[in-house]
Amino acid sequence: MACGRCAVDREFLVTKKRPDYEGAPSPLRLVDLFAGGGGLTVGVAEAARRLGRGTEVALAVENDGRAADIYGLNFPRANLVRSSVEALFDGELTAPVTASERSIALAVGEVDVLVAGPPCQGHSNLNNHTRRQDPRNALYLRAVRAVEVLRPTLVVIENVPTVRHDKGGVVESATQVLKAAGYSVASDVFRLVEFGVPQRRRRHMLLASMDDRIDPSVMGRLGSTCDDHTERSVRWAIEDLVDQTTESGPDAASKPAPVNLERMQWLIDQDEYDLPNPMRPKCHHGSHSYTSMYGRLRWDAPAQTITTGFGCMGQGRFVHPAQPRTLTPHEAARLQTLPDFFDLDTRKGRGVWATVIGNAVPPLFIVHLLAPLLSALPSPAVPEAQLVDLTHEPPVPLALVGDSTS
Ligand SMILES: C[S@@+](CC[C@H](N)C(=O)[O-])C[C@H]1O[C@@H](n2cnc3c(N)ncnc32)[C@H](O)[C@@H]1O
């Protein structure tokens, strides 16, 4: 492969052997709140590995038992707590720490990086406006409370772009409280395709640092576009899996209804990407803005946002570029840049896989966002040969982009 950066990332994506994230020296001490199956943790651990450092998960909190099972399988040495975040961090913002918070802080100890991906349904444009007042939005501020209690060096809170329009002003409140707690803070919306993710996903990121060597405002100038191309494609991520489908497990596509099979076959036979209105359900017969639904992916373009609905053609552009079927869980995981060594737990079923994969923060996004920032921290003496080349193009400022659905 011509591009060195793509080769390193592709190797990460397809390797079946999990790197020894825990064994490397000078481990970063990580806390992951709303941890899901661990997409964010994989990203931080891989960023640390590329800097020659290990990762120790001092605390991961997830209240869905099935997602927590998958997290535990992938990070067996993590201090994984199957609980709600608000049960652990139960004090009011800016108030003295509670008894529960004190015992957690003592148990967890020093924290280098705290990441959080609070549930985002309440902010999403896919939902109506009243849901921007969803109580789940308050969970965003529970992550901020955890910062007050644990005092990590670096904080990363991920969410959908529409979080900026939350009626309760969670981003503004979070920024205010974190600044009052001594952090420098910056937030922005990013196109993940600029960070090596073959997908048109956009995300809001809030970064806060209490170390002068890490300036969160530089994150707007980071990115990982390659020398001779700016976007990775569906082909880059999944072409090698085209003949790997099976009857069951993560390499099996979902069984479509006969009418959907006909629609998919038509797209392939006619070499079309959008399904014409007369072939859609009646509610799409007039004018509508759901062009991508029932659509087919293009080999040579990034995928649309991979959601939990990737197994259903009516939920987005999820038809395979060359075959009359939707994406398999394995392919969806690749497009999310969840590597092949990520264990989806074959005992679990499609519903759990779809949730964990669709909810994950793409690890390569986190690698390319955080590695340059983390490299500012003192690191252990690592033989140069073990370090991954992190040189970036001259920084290109990323424009703040508009809202999108999740
Ligand atoms: C957007 S997903 C996080 C994905 C994760 N960061 C990743 O990269 O894989 C949000 C997760 O928060 C969990 N969750 C929702 N409410 C919670 C709560 N109150 N306490 C703990 N976890 C919660 C959900 O079960 C879900 O797995």
Side-chain angles (χ1 to χ4, degrees):
M1 195 175 296
C3 169
R5 198 170 302 157
C6 285
V8 170
D9 285 351
R10 172 85 190 159
E11 174 63 21
F12 160 75
L13 200 57
V14 304
T15 185
K16 292 187 170 47
K17 187 169 159 26
R18 179 189 186 276
D20 181 11
Y21 287 130
E22 293 80 5
S26 190
L28 269 181
R29 290 182 52 78
L30 173 68
V31 169
D32 188 345
L33 304 178
F34 311 99
L40 264 172
T41 296
V42 175
V44 175
E46 178 63 16
R49 186 187 73 80
R50 294 186 188 195
L51 296 167
R53 299 186 68 171
T55 296
E56 186 179 335
V57 183
L59 177 68
V61 185
E62 169 56 50
N63 72 356
D64 175 339
R66 295 160 312 167
D69 287 346
I70 291 184
Y71 189 101
L73 206 56
N74 285 282
F75 292 93
R77 285 158 68 182
N79 174 23
L80 171 63
V81 178
R82 295 159 184 266
S83 155
S84 64
V85 169
E86 61 274 31
L88 302 186
F89 299 96
D90 57 355
E92 294 295 318
L93 278 177
T94 74
V97 293
T98 65
S100 159
E101 291 171 340
R102 187 169 303 110
S103 62
I104 295 280
L106 278 174
V108 169
E110 278 194 17
V111 180
D112 296 306
V113 183
L114 180 147
V115 294
C120 46
Q121 289 88 337
H123 313 294
S124 169
N125 268 348
L126 290 172
N127 298 297
N128 63 34
H129 289 257
T130 55
R131 288 188 65 185
R132 294 214 182 123
Q133 290 163 319
D134 192 304
R136 275 170 298 196
N137 300 354
L139 293 176
Y140 194 96
L141 295 178
R142 284 297 90 196
V144 176
R145 177 59 181 172
V147 174
E148 288 187 307
V149 174
L150 298 174
R151 310 286 300 163
T153 306
L154 183 66
V155 180
V156 180
I157 308 181
E158 177 268 354
N159 220 276
V160 286
T162 48
V163 70
R164 290 175 298 158
H165 308 305
D166 170 62
K167 288 260 193 312
V170 284
V171 176
E172 292 76 12
S173 304
T175 304
Q176 245 173 28
V177 172
L178 290 168
K179 281 186 173 168
Y183 285 84
S184 47
V185 186
S187 56
D188 212 338
V189 172
F190 295 96
R191 296 186 189 92
L192 272 58
V193 77
E194 310 242 16
F195 290 79
V197 178
Q199 209 186 119
R200 301 225 177 272
R201 198 181 195 91
R202 294 185 291 174
R203 277 300 182 264
H204 182 269
M205 303 300 282
L206 181 146
L207 251 80
S209 166
M210 62 149 50
D211 187 311
D212 290 345
R213 287 165 298 199
I214 301 181
D215 174 6
S217 68
V218 306
M219 74 172 170
R221 300 196 299 276
L222 300 173
S224 183
T225 51
C226 302
D227 301 347
D228 52 354
H229 52 275
T230 53
E231 296 181 341
R232 288 179 181 156
S233 63
V234 169
R235 188 188 297 284
W236 179 83
I238 67 167
E239 188 180 26
D240 59 311
L241 301 179
V242 73
D243 293 322
Q244 263 197 36
T245 51
T246 50
E247 279 302 304
S248 61
D251 282 301
S254 56
K255 302 264 178 294
V259 62
N260 280 342
L261 184 58
E262 268 173 43
R263 288 167 172 148
M264 292 193 271
Q265 192 64 59
W266 185 89
L267 289 170
I268 301 290
D269 291 347
Q270 303 303 314
D271 197 17
E272 292 285 351
Y273 291 89
D274 299 328
L275 198 69
N277 279 359
M279 295 190 73
R280 291 170 177 249
K282 280 216 166 59
C283 55
H284 285 197
H285 283 192
S287 78
H288 62 79
S289 56
Y290 309 124
T291 319
S292 65
M293 286 179 188
Y294 295 94
R296 170 182 160 216
L297 291 157
R298 289 178 160 79
W299 273 130
D300 293 314
Q304 76 156 78
T305 299
I306 299 297
T307 67
T308 56
F310 66 79
C312 175
M313 82 176 300
Q315 292 198 31
R317 188 179 297 283
F318 297 133
V319 177
H320 188 273
Q323 297 182 343
R325 60 174 178 83
T326 48
L327 294 170
T328 65
H330 188 179
E331 289 166 336
R334 282 270 191 94
L335 291 164
Q336 283 278 61
T337 69
L338 281 167
D340 284 2
F341 65 77
F342 186 81
D343 193 337
L344 284 168
D345 187 353
T346 44
R347 292 162 302 181
K348 299 265 187 286
R350 309 190 63 80
V352 179
W353 295 332
T355 304
V356 163
I357 294 167
N359 277 345
V361 179
L364 280 182
F365 171 47
I366 296 303
V367 168
H368 293 300
L369 183 76
L370 288 195
L373 298 175
L374 293 173
S375 66
L377 294 177
S379 57
V382 178
E384 201 144 301
Q386 283 178 24
L387 291 171
V388 173
D389 181 8
L390 286 170
T391 46
H392 281 71
E393 294 300 289
V396 181
L398 292 178
L400 193 73
V401 293
D403 284 351
S404 75
T405 54
S406 62

